[in-house]
Amino acid sequence: MININHIYAFLELVEKRNFNSAAEKLHITQSGLSRKISAIEERVNQRLFERTTRLVRPTWAALTLARHWREAILHYQAGLTEIGASDPDLAGPFVIGVSATSRHGEWQTVSDIFSKTFPNVHARIESMPSQDVMFYVRNGDLDVGFCGGPIVEDSLGAIRIEQIRYRALLSDQHPLASRSSLTMADLRGSSLSLVSAGTWPVVRENLNVFLEQQGMLDAVTYETNFLDLILKDILDNDHVGIHPLAKNHLLPRGVTLCDIDDLTLTLENVFIWRKSTTSPIIRSMVSMVRRHLSGAAPEAAGPDH
């Protein structure tokens, strides 16, 4: 008899096309995976995979089943999420990548809800730059990620969770720190620290154009890391940082966050996952994020097209 665990295993093998990789992802043995696939082949009375020494290739019948079963899994997980029930089969490790920009944003609320709904899933959070979150989700080293956009990866699904403005970061001792808001003109003469221009060039090019119009590019120092280098420049050298941060972002002691009234650049914080994934845990979190943010924010990219 085919049960839902057989379907999860089948879909993972269709994606990975390698018994060892699929078995590792499912946390089962290769022989256990083979038994599940054999049970499905016996039930449908068709060969589903052509096996070679290195890879397995899904047959037309397998691809047809995969197309229908992926959709069925989505509905299955959406139903569990909607009624708040925990599936005992949803258990095991789950790695979430979080960028500095979204580190204390809406993702924390979503993660807390997910942990309460699925207590047998053991989530681990890894902090890293946004582009690293994208890279590791794409390659399967992270299960899902929360990071700054824009996301233009065809292999990734993305849901916008919040839109945040670029703001000024100053030391509490800076002469401008007592102001409730600033303009770019107020920052003339200050030494500016910005994240490397290679980070999200679509957004950063707009910021550089704005700074050039203000005659302020010569005052910019570019750093590779927001948390370590820019915050150090702010605290140790009285530099001013310009960075997209949510208002609930927790800053180190001694750093103040201030709006810049005439700088309207924004960055989207998004939740991302691999579109091709068949993991029931990932699919459950995708469904939960959609439900939690329903009506609050449009999707930045469709699910599985």
Side-chain angles (χ1 to χ4, degrees):
M1 179 181 294
I2 297 175
N3 62 37
I4 197 164
N5 288 323
H6 289 80
I7 295 174
Y8 287 148
F10 165 79
L11 291 174
E12 195 66 43
L13 185 58
V14 170
E15 179 189 349
K16 292 289 193 298
R17 306 196 179 195
N18 181 283
F19 270 89
N20 183 54
S21 298
E24 285 186 358
K25 186 69 176 180
L26 294 162
H27 306 290
I28 61 176
T29 64
Q30 289 189 53
S31 60
L33 175 58
S34 294
R35 285 194 296 272
K36 293 180 187 298
I37 299 303
S38 296
I40 299 174
E41 289 182 328
E42 183 177 345
R43 171 64 180 80
V44 300
N45 197 28
Q46 292 196 53
R47 190 172 183 82
L48 297 177
F49 295 94
E50 300 293 341
R51 296 162 173 81
T52 68
T53 54
R54 297 181 60 188
L55 295 173
V56 294
R57 185 171 62 250
T59 63
W60 171 84
L63 294 175
T64 301
L65 281 179
R67 177 163 49 85
H68 289 285
W69 283 356
R70 284 194 186 103
E71 185 175 352
I73 289 293
L74 278 175
H75 289 295
Y76 168 72
Q77 298 300 341
L80 286 175
T81 301
E82 187 165 343
I83 66 173
S86 179
D87 182 349
D89 289 331
L90 291 179
F94 188 66
V95 187
I96 304 171
V98 176
S99 72
T101 302
S102 63
R103 193 172 180 186
H104 297 280
E106 184 67 23
W107 68 266
Q108 186 65 66
T109 301
V110 176
S111 297
D112 289 345
I113 295 172
F114 186 81
S115 296
K116 291 176 182 177
T117 306
F118 302 109
N120 294 323
V121 175
H122 306 294
R124 186 177 83 251
I125 294 172
E126 301 281 352
S127 297
M128 61 190 70
S130 286
Q131 287 189 329
D132 286 353
V133 173
M134 282 187 60
F135 176 82
Y136 289 121
V137 170
R138 184 196 310 124
N139 289 338
D141 298 303
L142 293 172
D143 292 303
V144 299
F146 293 89
C147 64
I151 304 297
V152 291
E153 289 275 340
D154 289 338
S155 64
L156 298 178
I159 300 173
R160 191 178 82 186
I161 61 171
E162 57 187 342
Q163 190 174 61
I164 54 178
R165 289 185 58 171
Y166 273 73
R167 294 184 167 90
L169 296 101
L170 309 93
S171 161
D172 288 348
Q173 306 306 314
H174 195 282
L176 296 174
S178 60
R179 299 274 296 273
S180 59
S181 64
L182 303 170
T183 66
M184 292 300 292
D186 294 326
L187 300 181
R188 287 199 183 97
S190 299
S191 297
L192 304 178
S193 285
L194 308 179
V195 173
S196 169
T199 302
W200 302 127
V202 174
V203 178
R204 284 303 318 283
E205 286 168 6
N206 294 332
L207 177 58
N208 286 348
V209 167
F210 193 86
L211 290 171
E212 187 172 22
Q213 292 171 348
Q214 301 289 319
M216 299 172 66
L217 268 183
D218 291 342
V220 174
T221 298
Y222 292 109
E223 302 289 5
T224 57
N225 187 288
F226 167 71
L227 288 176
D228 295 336
L229 300 178
I230 289 184
L231 293 180
K232 181 176 174 60
D233 284 343
I234 292 168
L235 289 169
D236 294 352
N237 305 314
D238 238 13
H239 286 195
V240 176
I242 299 179
H243 201 74
L245 288 175
K247 286 194 173 182
N248 60 348
H249 190 101
L250 299 181
L251 293 168
R253 184 173 299 176
V255 176
T256 296
L257 187 63
C258 192
D259 286 339
I260 306 175
D261 291 340
D262 56 346
L263 183 62
T264 58
L265 289 179
T266 60
L267 185 70
E268 291 182 348
N269 273 339
V270 293
F271 168 76
I272 62 173
W273 71 98
R274 282 191 303 165
K275 288 182 180 179
S276 61
T277 187
T278 59
S279 164
I281 302 177
I282 294 175
R283 286 302 183 188
S284 293
M285 191 164 199
V286 171
S287 296
M288 179 165 287
V289 171
R290 284 201 178 107
R291 178 170 171 78
H292 177 73
L293 299 173
S294 177
E299 289 191 5
D304 289 326
H305 298 299

